[in-house]
Amino acid sequence: MKKLPRREFLKIAGLIAGSSIVASNFLWLKDIDAEIDTDRDIKLGIIGIGSRGKLLAEILMDIPGVHIVALADDYLPHLEEGKALIGKEVRGYSDHRSMLDKEKLNAVVIATPLHEHARHIVDAIEAGCHVFCEKTLALNIDQCNAVYQIAKGSGKVFYGGYQRIFDLKYLKAFEMISNGDIGGVRQIRGFWHRNDDWRRIVPKPELERKLNWRLYHDYSCGLMTELAVHHLQVINQMFNTRPEAVWGVGSINHWKDGRDALDNVNLVYKYPGDTHMVYDAMISNRHYGLELQVLGSKGTIELETGRIWYEFPEPAPGILQMLHHLEKRIFQSIPIGGPSWVPETAIKEKEGWVLPNNLEDDGTRLQIESFIKDVRKEEVNPFLLDQAYDAAISTLMGFESLHTGKVVQWPDNAFII
Amino acid sequence: MPQDIFRALKQVHRVSQNTDGLFNCWGGQKYNKQKFSEAIEHENYELTAPHLSDIIFDEAKSTIVSRNSNAQIDSGGFGKGLAINAIREILDSYKVHDALISFGGSSIYAKGQHPYGPYWPISIPHYYKTDSHALELKLYTTCVSISGHHPGQRKVKPHGHVFHPENKHPVDRNRVAIVHGPDAVTAEVLSTAFLMAPSNRMTSIAQAFSLYAIYVLTYDEGHEVNLTFKSIEHEEVTQA
């Protein structure tokens, strides 16, 4: 797939982000098409330099004026890999506190296991750093509340790792949905299917929980906090809302290897206005892969692939209708006859794309660049923290329902922002 | 001129003569100025296109002479018919039994039958009701030509594209003429002629073309369509 030149890509990004609907709902996108300003160097540290940390580091290393000066990871092989990736000048720490104390960092990127997020975010903010933290915000509601309160009053930039709100396909789809292109939205269907055991190779048995932290509830909420949270965050943001209630069923019905994490979950979220979101995730079949489908009375949008279908498309030109008839063995009159010299305005196929499909970018790069721009300007956008919080609570509601079998309302001890 | 062009123009001319002067393809030079003009003043309608009798065919020399220096051929009213007839010969030579050829929907030739039925069914859409049609036809080795003015064109065209050879004015835009019969060129010429034919002359012109079913649809101010003329009672027409 051909990649667009950066200038062209940014131009398209600016056009989409600049539309009145997107601009007024995604306030953090206002400088999305601006080139990176290099008038101020950024000293940055990364806490957690595993696979995701390394991916973020590679993007950061491409941004002019960003200097990754320190890494912290308590798993030495990851730390060594990170240092090798970034270069000899970067300093490595096995303890993030030491890094925060010794380095005068402007910003910190956190890509650690979920149970560490709250501690790492709070420590980084208290050390005076702007923070980018991978999803999900924290492991439980109490931790989310603590992080939210500290970050909210800190005056520091906070970004949660929800790249889809920087994904141009999603943004364009949001504009189309807001414009009523697919009519009233009454149901959303999301799914994330894989077919693997979700395990990492463990060199020594005592490292099982440390490296396979996604499988154990002391460290993670499994499929909910590692996968479903992305889609819940998008829906909350797109519809400027949060779920009222959720009911789910879950089980471990395939990977019965001593893990806590469910490998098969199904949930129904109820949103205001009786809009439902049906969600499922599994790791024993990947046929349907990953998708988020918004079902409207006039059309359907699939957000992950950026496709759109209309319920009532304009009739196809006569010849095309005839071809459809022939394929279906239908003998029927075709509306072919028309007066001469009428321009033949071709009607598109029923399926379309919200954007040219060569705009392959999941938003991660734009999001990281946006974070750096805000850090340089020390411009705090409170909506990003609010969204990260709402997404986390929505996810934890689902997790609770999966394990209690009960309908779970928006928790009394969670904030309503 | 080449024999095939000469023969084709002679056929067009012969059919034109049977339209009571309503089809005239020789006024292209004047006509083109009017056809594409954005703002037409009334006096500019006074065209001086050649009369059909000004055109003389010389079989021996394979030449065409005009007594009027303004003569210029406008193939817009028959060109697609010529193309269809040429395609028919190709299909016949390759022994293709069933086929449907459409030039933008306004000139159609259907050979043989539909893969799942005994003929090729086509319909003429209702301009103002997208879920409805104005007329249905059954084609079986026959041709259809449709002439008219789509209302959508009013936004981009200052006037209709067909000029009346007698009063030199653009033809009103509320009519559609459909001709179904064995020959594509004849059907094309007739559909243009019936786009402007006065209602009291329609029957007499149609009598010269007994192998053709001729339909005239008229849209009223309420956007309802009426079948205002039909040359034959039955739907079947003679095959090509």
Side-chain angles (χ1 to χ4, degrees), chain A residues 331 333-335 337-339 341 343-344, chain B residues 104-105 116 119 123 125 127 136 153 161:
Chain A
F331 177 63
S333 171
I334 50 167
W341 62 268
E344 291 190 45
Chain B
Y116 305 108
Y119 51 86
S123 58
Y127 284 164
E136 274 202 325
Q153 285 295 313
H161 69 296

Side-chain angles (χ1 to χ4, degrees), chain A residues 314-315 319 322 325-344, chain B residues 80 102 104-106 108 114-117 119-123 125 127 136 146 148-150 153 161:
Chain A
E314 293 287 319
I319 285 290
M322 188 188 72
H325 289 167
L326 293 180
E327 286 170 2
K328 296 175 182 173
R329 298 170 178 264
I330 295 172
F331 177 63
Q332 189 174 309
S333 171
I334 50 167
I336 193 174
S340 57
W341 62 268
V342 171
E344 291 190 45
Chain B
K80 287 178 288 184
S102 171
S106 66
I108 300 161
H114 188 284
Y116 305 108
Y119 51 86
W120 292 90
I122 71 160
S123 58
Y127 284 164
E136 274 202 325
I146 302 121
H149 300 93
H150 193 282
Q153 285 295 313
H161 69 296

Side-chain angles (χ1 to χ4, degrees), chain B residues 34-206:
Chain B
Q34 301 299 306
K35 184 177 181 180
F36 299 108
S37 172
E38 287 296 324
I40 296 181
E41 295 174 6
H42 187 267
E43 56 267 28
N44 288 339
Y45 288 153
E46 302 305 321
L47 309 178
T48 54
H51 190 271
L52 290 178
S53 60
D54 292 332
I55 309 299
I56 300 162
F57 285 76
D58 187 328
E59 290 276 358
K61 294 179 182 173
S62 197
T63 58
I64 304 170
V65 176
S66 171
R67 294 197 188 100
N68 183 322
S69 61
N70 289 318
Q72 191 178 69
I73 298 169
D74 181 347
S75 62
F78 62 85
K80 287 178 288 184
L82 289 177
I84 281 181
N85 284 347
I87 291 169
R88 282 170 53 181
E89 289 182 13
I90 295 169
L91 293 175
D92 291 345
S93 70
Y94 282 90
K95 301 192 187 313
V96 175
H97 298 294
D98 305 304
L100 184 120
I101 308 294
S102 171
F103 280 79
S106 66
S107 292
I108 300 161
Y109 168 61
K111 181 174 170 63
Q113 62 189 62
H114 188 284
Y116 305 108
Y119 51 86
W120 292 90
I122 71 160
S123 58
I124 312 300
H126 191 300
Y127 284 164
Y128 299 98
K129 297 177 183 174
T130 54
D131 58 346
S132 176
H133 60 261
L135 189 67
E136 274 202 325
L137 300 171
K138 298 173 182 176
L139 278 64
Y140 183 85
T141 313
T142 48
C143 307
V144 170
S145 174
I146 302 121
S147 292
H149 300 93
H150 193 282
Q153 285 295 313
R154 296 176 191 211
K155 297 174 185 170
V156 293
K157 291 274 184 181
H159 52 78
H161 69 296
V162 178
F163 280 71
H164 200 298
E166 293 172 350
N167 65 24
K168 314 292 195 271
H169 281 61
V171 175
D172 287 344
R173 304 210 241 195
N174 60 349
R175 186 188 287 189
V176 181
I178 300 118
V179 178
H180 182 196
D183 177 69
V185 170
T186 305
E188 274 223 71
V189 170
L190 283 178
S191 67
T192 302
F194 273 81
L195 195 60
M196 63 195 96
S199 55
N200 61 356
R201 290 160 64 185
M202 287 182 180
T203 302
S204 63
I205 296 170

Side-chain angles (χ1 to χ4, degrees), chain A residues 11-22:
Chain A
K11 189 177 172 186
I12 294 173
L15 285 173
I16 294 169
S19 80
S20 58
I21 289 174
V22 175

